[in-house]
Amino acid sequence: MGITGRRDQEILDVVGIGFGPSNMSLAIALKEHGASAPLHPVRSHFFERQPTFGWHRNMLLPSATMQISFLKDLATFRNPVSRFSFVSFLHASNRLVQFVNNQSFIPTRQEFHQYLEWAAAGLSDQVTYGSEVTAIRPVTGPGTRTPDLLEIEVRSGDGSARVVTARNVVVSTGLVPRLPEGVTAGERVWHSSEFLTRFNAQDPASLKSVAVVGAGQSAAEVTRFFHDSLPHAQVTAVIPSYGYSVADDTPFANQVFDPDTVDEYYFGTEGARDAFWRYHRNTNYSVVDADVIRALYQRQYDEQVSGVQRLHFRNLTRVDSVEGSDSGARVVLRSLLDDRREELAFDALVFASGYDGLDPARLLGEEFDRHFQRDAAGRHRVERDYRLVATSGLSCGVYLQGGTEHSHGLTSALLSNIAIRSGEIADSIVLRRTERELGRQAEETPSAA
């Protein structure tokens, strides 16, 4: 079935789907390529379904910090003199000296979000907000042997549709919040991704008993926020492990996020890839920064000293069932220590249960998705330049920013390698365009006698 709607005439080199940090970084790389090659700029545009820029707004908790150095921004590792660096943002904000005096490599999450908003403002001509890409299809027709163009359907908030034509798409739609099977979000049952919006809609006085489920950074931060913001409330942390595990951010462990490590993972053996995950998951997954762990333990200890306990940790405990209502949630907890079940009532229940990765199949559709190879586990095969491996003669490109952990390692959905990753995608797009133009010139030039 064909795509309907207004059809744009211009053929773009690349359309970016989503405008979070990853595709922002790509937009910067393409913009800086255009500055260095003004006669051959890459024609690009990005579409973002949110009405304005925003990145994890609902977890901008007071004093919450990033888990990476400020130098791992949108551009510095690729181009240290980029005007879109975090240092440039500090200078533009008249805060560079004060940041240096603060003697910290780690900015707060609120300040990093300000940086991202500042960078997005400098790229406003590259993005259309309030626009969701709903389908991608190759351009086919009489005489088309190897499709080199893609039709991208874009739907605006008012319901109108347009069709954009491009040679490449870069999919960066972000992660999808995940709730445990059988749990449905509601008025008093929340995923951490919607936390501040949900929390601010409540009367704090009505939240007398709250609970947080999870063992990672978000779970610990929400637990701390509840305890500090609701001095009258009982706060329960439901932890599937025996307490929180500390994130390993020591120098040797942090090498797994180095740009060169992507090559070692991508070209490594299956045994090597397995070792990466087995030994280094604790750098990022289901772990908590040491300062947050100490802060929570200190609160628990202070309450033991005072004899007034509000903070409760239920270790090795899982949620068996949840029944939500407009006024609260009834939860059945099961202890893994003795298999004992207990039903409790909470005024608010927060699941910091993580996210599912990007799956491009939804946008590609079943018919187009069959053009791309999958591995034995059913995952898309991906080239080193983050481009899906085609099963047929497609010369158009579908690139992924995320969803490539199985092929490129731990940094695939993280900020740590964002500048280099986006630069590699930009380089690939430019190189393939050059090769295509040279091939066309060769076809048009008569052979020498």
Side-chain angles (χ1 to χ4, degrees), residues 10-15 26-27 29-46 126 167-168 170 425-431 433-434 436-437:
E10 181 185 16
I11 296 177
L12 298 169
D13 290 303
V14 57
V15 161
L26 174 62
L30 294 173
K31 190 180 187 74
E32 292 177 350
H33 171 271
S36 63
L39 297 180
H40 301 281
V42 175
R43 299 178 301 270
S44 62
H45 200 76
F46 297 80
Q126 293 289 300
R167 301 191 186 281
N168 304 279
V170 181
I425 293 174
D427 288 345
S428 174
I429 291 169
V430 172
L431 176 61
R433 183 183 68 170
T434 301
R436 184 171 56 250
E437 291 174 350

Side-chain angles (χ1 to χ4, degrees), residues 10-65:
E10 181 185 16
I11 296 177
L12 298 169
D13 290 303
V14 57
V15 161
I17 304 172
F19 203 63
S22 291
N23 266 355
M24 285 176 60
S25 181
L26 174 62
I28 293 168
L30 294 173
K31 190 180 187 74
E32 292 177 350
H33 171 271
S36 63
L39 297 180
H40 301 281
V42 175
R43 299 178 301 270
S44 62
H45 200 76
F46 297 80
F47 296 96
E48 168 57 50
R49 63 184 174 184
Q50 294 187 102
T52 59
F53 175 79
W55 180 69
H56 295 304
R57 290 192 193 94
N58 283 307
M59 285 300 292
L60 297 178
L61 305 179
S63 301
T65 60

Side-chain angles (χ1 to χ4, degrees), residues 122-405:
L123 298 165
S124 58
D125 61 326
Q126 293 289 300
V127 58
T128 300
Y129 292 101
S131 299
E132 182 177 7
V133 172
T134 56
I136 307 169
R137 294 180 177 87
V139 175
T140 58
T144 303
R145 292 179 298 173
T146 58
D148 65 348
L149 294 176
L150 296 167
E151 289 182 326
I152 299 99
E153 181 181 4
V154 184
R155 194 165 299 278
S156 300
D158 60 5
S160 63
R162 61 191 287 200
V163 176
V164 181
T165 305
R167 301 191 186 281
N168 304 279
V169 295
V170 181
V171 183
S172 181
T173 52
L175 303 173
V176 180
R178 180 179 63 242
L179 287 169
E181 186 177 356
V183 175
T184 302
E187 285 297 315
R188 297 299 180 98
V189 178
W190 315 330
H191 187 273
S192 58
S193 62
E194 56 181 352
F195 176 69
L196 281 179
T197 296
R198 291 287 195 177
F199 177 81
N200 291 332
Q202 309 298 321
D203 175 5
S206 70
L207 302 177
K208 300 175 182 177
S209 179
V210 295
V212 183
V213 181
Q217 182 77 13
S218 294
E221 288 179 350
V222 172
T223 300
R224 180 177 63 176
F225 176 85
F226 268 152
H227 189 264
D228 294 349
S229 302
L230 303 174
H232 58 282
Q234 298 293 311
V235 181
T236 300
V238 180
I239 308 175
S241 55
Y242 198 78
Y244 301 111
S245 297
V246 68
D248 187 350
D249 61 354
T250 53
F252 284 112
N254 258 340
Q255 290 181 140
V256 299
F257 302 119
D258 289 354
D260 291 345
T261 306
V262 176
D263 277 338
E264 294 175 331
Y265 188 94
Y266 186 87
F267 296 109
T269 64
E270 285 301 318
R273 295 184 183 189
D274 180 66
F276 268 101
W277 288 100
R278 187 169 64 252
Y279 289 113
H280 298 294
R281 283 187 63 88
N282 65 338
T283 57
N284 184 67
Y285 295 93
S286 297
V287 289
V288 182
D289 286 347
D291 61 330
V292 179
I293 293 176
R294 292 192 185 98
L296 285 172
Y297 193 88
Q298 185 67 52
R299 286 162 171 76
Q300 180 191 47
Y301 183 77
D302 290 344
E303 290 182 352
Q304 290 175 344
V305 172
S306 68
V308 180
Q309 186 175 6
R310 293 195 302 112
L311 183 57
H312 312 275
F313 294 95
R314 290 180 172 269
N315 299 331
L316 286 176
T317 300
R318 296 191 179 276
V319 173
D320 260 11
S321 65
V322 176
E323 182 180 340
S325 68
D326 291 344
S327 59
R330 301 198 67 82
V331 185
V332 175
L333 300 179
R334 178 170 61 89
S335 170
L336 301 181
L337 291 170
D338 54 15
D339 207 38
R340 183 170 63 90
R341 286 169 171 77
E342 183 178 5
E343 183 174 322
L344 298 173
F346 298 105
D347 298 313
L349 176 64
V350 181
F351 282 91
S353 45
Y355 297 81
D356 291 324
L358 180 155
D359 182 4
R362 181 186 66 82
L363 279 175
L364 299 176
E366 184 177 347
E367 183 177 345
F368 187 30
D369 188 54
R370 285 200 294 265
H371 286 272
F372 300 100
Q373 297 181 20
R374 292 179 180 261
D375 62 18
R379 303 167 299 194
H380 283 97
R381 289 190 58 208
V382 189
E383 301 280 9
R384 175 60 183 83
D385 60 3
Y386 301 93
R387 183 165 42 94
L388 291 183
V389 179
T391 59
S392 56
L394 291 173
S395 58
C396 49
V398 176
Y399 294 82
L400 302 184
Q401 291 245 50
T404 59
E405 289 87 350

Side-chain angles (χ1 to χ4, degrees), residues 80-93:
V81 297
S82 172
R83 74 176 184 87
F84 287 94
S85 71
F86 188 80
V87 170
S88 294
F89 156 72
L90 290 173
H91 184 269
S93 304

